[in-house]
Amino acid sequence: MGSSYNNYLFVFTFLSLTYISSANLVSDVCSMTKDPAYCFKFVKPLYKEGITIPIDFTNATLEASKNVLYLVYLEIIGREERASKSNNPILAGQYRESKPQYEYAVSAYRRSQAISDSPNHYEIMSFLAGQASKSIEEVESNFTPIGSMPADFKALHQNSLNVCNIVLVLTTHLYRIGATN
């Protein structure tokens, strides 16, 4: 009887570590982000009742975040073209300098998705999320003097910073708690 109980306890403990409640994961992660309200609003549509495997939630978050960054990247391309056509070479140059940073961040998220079945994937995902976040943060330095970023683009860029923060907090949290799936 003792042996069966110990086996049951081991299996229960293992499953508890492997399957983390998405509701708790969302709460835990969003409370650690820079903008918890934005996080809850962003991840709520990604949360599906019954998702218990963290990698499913992580991949959904990566996909949505990658899409946000890619849409802002496309907006940068359009803004660069419009600034060039309106003879504003400084603004066109600032947008041109921002494109590689967004390209890098999108690429980092694609690589994260590609390794989701690899050993130590949360450790690598956390590293890539940190690199993506750093890349997006550097965009602000392209707009000099400080404060020269157009207000409407600043709002888009803030969304990018927020989604990068969500992915970084999520992957780092899962790495730190030793999640495996």
Side-chain angles (χ1 to χ4, degrees):
M1 175 92 174
S3 173
S4 288
Y5 176 76
N6 286 339
N7 287 342
Y8 172 77
L9 186 60
F10 172 78
V11 169
F12 177 76
T13 302
F14 176 76
L15 289 175
S16 295
L17 289 173
T18 304
Y19 297 102
I20 300 166
S21 164
S22 291
N24 291 342
L25 183 58
V26 168
S27 235
D28 291 348
V29 167
C30 287
S31 68
M32 292 185 278
T33 62
K34 293 177 182 175
D35 188 343
Y38 182 92
C39 179
F40 280 110
K41 182 178 161 186
F42 184 76
V43 300
K44 187 176 181 180
L46 306 175
Y47 172 76
K48 295 182 178 113
E49 194 64 43
I51 291 182
T52 55
I53 302 175
I55 195 64
D56 292 342
F57 181 70
T58 304
N59 280 331
T61 304
L62 278 166
E63 183 66 22
S65 299
K66 181 184 72 178
N67 290 340
V68 167
L69 296 180
Y70 188 71
L71 289 172
V72 174
Y73 170 75
L74 293 176
E75 180 67 21
I76 290 170
I77 291 171
R79 286 171 179 257
E80 177 192 3
E81 289 173 5
R82 288 189 298 278
S84 291
K85 287 179 182 176
S86 67
N87 289 327
N88 191 340
I90 293 173
L91 188 57
Q94 290 169 329
Y95 285 124
R96 187 178 318 101
E97 290 173 10
S98 300
K99 287 190 311 190
Q101 291 153 321
Y102 271 86
E103 288 170 345
Y104 181 84
V106 169
S107 174
Y109 286 171
R110 284 186 181 134
R111 286 180 291 184
S112 287
Q113 289 175 300
I115 61 152
S116 62
D117 291 335
S118 302
N120 301 323
H121 54 275
Y122 287 119
E123 179 180 10
I124 298 165
M125 285 176 165
S126 178
F127 172 79
L128 290 169
Q131 295 298 306
S133 188
K134 184 177 177 183
S135 183
I136 296 301
E137 288 170 4
E138 290 172 355
V139 167
E140 292 176 30
S141 67
N142 297 336
F143 292 86
T144 54
I146 294 175
S148 66
M149 183 183 287
D152 58 339
F153 181 70
K154 189 173 182 110
L156 290 173
H157 181 64
Q158 185 60 50
N159 287 338
S160 299
L161 292 169
N162 285 338
V163 299
C164 285
N165 181 243
I166 292 166
V167 172
L168 179 59
V169 170
L170 172 63
T171 56
T172 301
H173 175 69
L174 291 171
Y175 169 61
R176 286 186 180 155
I177 66 170
T180 58
N181 289 339

